[in-house]
Amino acid sequence: MIRKTKPEFIAPYLKDASNFSGGNAEEVIIPESSEELVIFLKNETRPVTIAGAGTGLTASRIPYGGVIVSLERFKEIAIEEERRIRVGPAVTLNELQDYLVATNWFYPPNPTETWASVGGTLATNASGSRSYKYGVTRDYVEEVELVLVDGRKTIVKRGLKIFEPLKLEDGSQISFPEISYQSPKCKNAAGYFVHPGMDWLDLFIGSDGTLGVFTKIVLRLIPCPADFVSGVLFFEDESSCWKLISKIKSFNGEEIAPCSLEYFDHNALEKLMRKHQNIPHHSRAALFFEQDVAELKDYDLVLENWYEFLSEENIMLDDSWFAQGTKDIQKFHDFRHDIPIIINEENSRAGRVKLGTDMAVPDNHFISMMEFYQEILGTSGLDYVMFGHLGDNHLHINLLPGASQMEYALQVYDQIAEQILEWRGTVSAEHGIGKLKKKYFAKMVGAEGLSDLKKIKDCLDPGNRLGVGNIL
Ligand SMILES: Cc1cc2nc3c(=O)[nH]c(=O)nc-3n(C[C@H](O)[C@H](O)[C@H](O)COP(=O)(O)OP(=O)(O)OC[C@H]3O[C@@H](n4cnc5c(N)ncnc54)[C@H](O)[C@@H]3O)c2cc1C
């Protein structure tokens, strides 16, 4: 086991992609195996924070003290049997996808940042562009080896329900507390996942590093699609793009059945134009779509369906882009990935901080949400960019206030959160709450909800030592 105590060696672990500063830790522990981790935790009394790859956006891996445990040595990767792969939590999504290239298997969750570790994606229940069809990380986790902060270890398998006790290797048991809290019904990554009759596994996934440490992970795979029909559509006005989403949804997954529907508003396009000069200059919005094709023989039919459908709609069809092969598909993914990257780079250069939203609403409020965003942002006088997962009613608004506008931008953020909650939406649909969104989460679940969630935390970590400061 490696122990790092020099401040210059600890410093890299006190960062993630959120720009949060102010964390500190006494040391970083790097175990080589679960056994080493168990021994360490059994003898430890300080607060413990788990480090993944540091691509998180909520400062959830950054501690206010105690020790950081980094699982960076947990890199095993092996196909277990058909449809299952065993990975160490430190395996990155890049490494997982590269490994799968030589197989006929596919891991659908596609959170844009491929340097994220699989362990981190479980802790945040990451989703991304393909969640519209394929769902979120939770849907692909079959089994984990889990270590509690007191060093007790267990294997948690899909199918173990919360009305049964969670049995630990030392013979002890934990029962799920009696609570009335339930998670919202829209896409959601805020707080613990709670649904009646759910699996224990679902509780640990998305728990922001506060309930247990994932040391081994078994993921479910699906057969690899033969290809993707994919394009970037441009629109002269934003509302034509929004209306198209409602029409696509009305197909109910038949004929037109995309897995990704990703939005770019006019401000996002303006930023992207600096790198992608071929964006049509008079476009006000764009939609990246892709539909997986199970067998190559169906490709032409799927493409024809899309052309036929789109030719009737209010789209700048001649100016839109359609993939001609896998290179183009990758280019479209890079195009999508470029937007947060460009914003982060511009902010670093300008010494500016962004306020990023991650909110979603149930389907029936989709158009109202878009109109509300247009109104409140258009009249705010703030620089902003809007992009994200339109198919899931889940957008990322990046408010980009100047130094003197920060307080005002926070007020705008508050107003947005208030409206989203009125529609029974969520303040975090994929990044989690971490340390940065607790105020909004508290509003979302109320005092009773918080007290219920605290009961869950108490039964797994009564000393409140794991991931201190996240969520609650
Ligand atoms: C440009 C960019 C685009 C992004 N796009 C998306 C997107 O489309 N969708 C999306 O969902 N997210 C997105 N993210 C956010 C980020 O990639 C995810 O939150 C990711 O899951 C974090 O993984 P990580 O390994 O970097 O975790 P870290 O940031 O290191 O940690 C995140 C949390 O996971 C916990 N953790 C890490 N490993 C373990 C473990 N083994 N056991 C228990 N807890 C653990 C940590 O304690 C912490 O609470 C994006 C980020 C960036 C920078």
Side-chain angles (χ1 to χ4, degrees):
M1 184 161 72
I2 299 167
R3 301 182 91 123
K4 297 183 179 180
T5 47
K6 288 193 177 157
E8 64 269 34
F9 294 146
I10 297 175
Y13 296 88
L14 300 176
K15 288 187 199 147
D16 67 1
S18 70
N19 283 337
F20 178 81
S21 58
N24 65 85
E26 289 166 35
E27 59 176 331
V28 177
I29 308 292
I30 306 176
E32 302 278 344
S33 64
S34 314
E35 292 68 33
E36 258 188 19
L37 175 68
V38 163
I39 293 168
F40 168 75
L41 289 175
K42 282 197 167 154
N43 293 296
E44 187 52 62
T45 53
R46 292 171 291 177
V48 174
T49 300
I50 310 303
T55 70
L57 291 161
T58 64
S60 56
R61 78 156 201 165
I62 305 174
Y64 292 127
V67 298
I68 293 171
V69 170
S70 169
L71 301 173
E72 62 202 64
R73 294 296 173 106
F74 289 56
K75 281 278 194 185
E76 76 159 323
I77 179 161
I79 292 268
E80 264 219 321
E81 55 186 72
E82 276 213 341
R83 290 177 188 266
R84 283 162 64 109
I85 187 164
R86 178 175 291 268
V87 292
V91 169
T92 65
L93 291 172
N94 259 330
E95 290 164 341
L96 174 58
Q97 299 299 2
D98 284 352
Y99 184 90
L100 290 176
V101 167
T103 73
N104 288 325
W105 298 107
F106 180 61
Y107 179 63
N110 184 37
T112 322
E113 182 49 74
T114 50
W115 292 110
S117 69
V118 174
T121 63
L122 258 70
T124 56
N125 188 29
S127 45
S129 64
R130 290 185 180 141
S131 64
Y132 175 63
K133 171 174 177 180
Y134 289 120
V136 296
T137 297
R138 172 174 290 116
D139 301 318
Y140 295 89
V141 184
E142 289 288 295
E143 183 181 310
V144 296
E145 180 186 82
L146 185 90
V147 181
L148 300 185
V149 71
D150 59 13
R152 283 181 294 166
K153 194 168 90 174
T154 184
I155 307 284
V156 191
K157 292 189 182 185
R158 175 89 23 234
L160 178 71
K161 300 288 172 198
I162 48 162
F163 46 74
E164 299 168 59
L166 181 71
K167 295 183 179 154
L168 287 305
E169 269 184 12
D170 67 353
S172 60
Q173 297 192 353
I174 292 172
S175 299
F176 192 81
E178 280 200 13
I179 55 172
S180 58
Y181 174 82
Q182 285 189 29
S183 300
K185 298 224 163 30
C186 59
K187 181 180 178 187
N188 178 47
Y192 303 143
F193 179 85
V194 184
H195 276 292
M198 70 177 192
D199 291 355
W200 276 99
L201 198 48
D202 291 325
L203 173 67
F204 293 107
I205 298 164
S207 62
D208 250 353
T210 63
L211 297 182
V213 188
F214 303 117
T215 45
K216 286 182 187 148
I217 297 162
V218 179
L219 300 170
R220 179 171 69 86
L221 304 169
I222 64 168
C224 196
D227 208 339
F228 288 88
V229 168
S230 175
V232 179
L233 309 172
F234 292 97
F235 300 80
E236 271 169 352
D237 66 290
E238 287 162 333
S239 64
S240 297
C241 179
W242 313 340
K243 285 181 196 146
L244 192 76
I245 296 296
S246 306
K247 287 201 178 160
I248 290 174
K249 285 187 177 171
S250 70
F251 280 97
N252 281 328
E254 288 181 21
E255 288 171 54
I256 299 297
C259 52
S260 305
L261 289 169
E262 295 287 300
Y263 183 64
F264 306 82
D265 79 339
H266 62 282
N267 291 326
L269 291 180
E270 214 175 288
K271 291 204 180 292
L272 284 163
M273 259 176 217
R274 287 167 218 161
K275 193 166 171 193
H276 303 269
Q277 280 91 15
N278 50 344
I279 293 173
H281 282 262
H282 49 303
S283 55
R284 294 282 298 172
L287 183 73
F288 160 51
F289 77 91
E290 55 178 2
Q291 176 165 339
D292 49 319
V293 181
E295 292 182 53
L296 269 188
K297 67 175 176 46
D298 300 327
Y299 184 91
D300 287 345
L301 178 66
V302 174
L303 187 61
E304 265 168 42
N305 285 344
W306 273 95
Y307 270 126
E308 205 173 298
F309 166 57
L310 295 175
S311 57
E312 302 289 312
E313 302 301 323
N314 201 6
I315 297 166
M316 298 162 62
L317 207 49
D318 291 341
D319 290 315
S320 294
W321 308 336
F322 291 90
Q324 307 286 332
T326 41
K327 270 195 183 154
D328 285 346
I329 292 173
Q330 188 51 48
K331 265 192 214 160
F332 295 169
H333 276 272
D334 293 345
F335 181 74
R336 166 66 182 83
H337 189 218
D338 278 345
I339 187 63
I341 299 287
I342 290 172
I343 294 169
N344 291 347
E345 282 170 2
E346 279 185 6
N347 278 358
S348 304
R349 275 199 301 276
R352 189 169 63 176
V353 179
K354 75 176 182 194
L355 293 178
T357 75
D358 177 32
M359 306 182 201
V361 296
D363 265 352
N364 55 330
H365 294 297
F366 168 61
I367 292 288
S368 316
M369 174 188 78
M370 298 308 289
E371 288 169 351
F372 167 72
Y373 283 159
Q374 194 173 49
E375 170 68 20
I376 190 166
L377 297 170
T379 55
S380 70
L382 292 166
D383 277 349
Y384 71 90
V385 174
M386 187 159 49
F387 60 94
H389 321 296
L390 209 56
D392 293 325
N393 320 313
H394 170 208
L395 287 174
H396 300 300
I397 296 165
N398 285 189
L399 299 174
L400 306 168
S404 61
Q405 293 175 306
M406 195 43 137
E407 208 168 304
Y408 172 55
L410 283 166
Q411 282 169 20
V412 173
Y413 196 115
D414 281 357
Q415 283 169 22
I416 294 174
E418 219 153 273
Q419 180 58 68
I420 295 294
L421 293 181
E422 220 164 274
W423 285 324
R424 301 207 161 275
T426 176
V427 293
S428 174
E430 67 178 4
H431 298 155
I433 295 300
K435 302 194 173 59
L436 302 187
K437 299 200 170 155
K438 288 198 289 188
K439 169 180 144 190
Y440 301 104
F441 182 60
K443 257 194 197 159
M444 178 175 155
V445 301
E448 220 172 290
L450 277 182
S451 143
D452 276 355
L453 295 176
K454 177 99 189 12
K455 285 182 193 158
I456 296 176
K457 172 77 170 160
D458 282 347
C459 71
L460 290 149
D461 174 17
N464 187 26
R465 288 201 300 115
L466 188 63
V468 180
N470 291 345
I471 305 179
L472 297 169

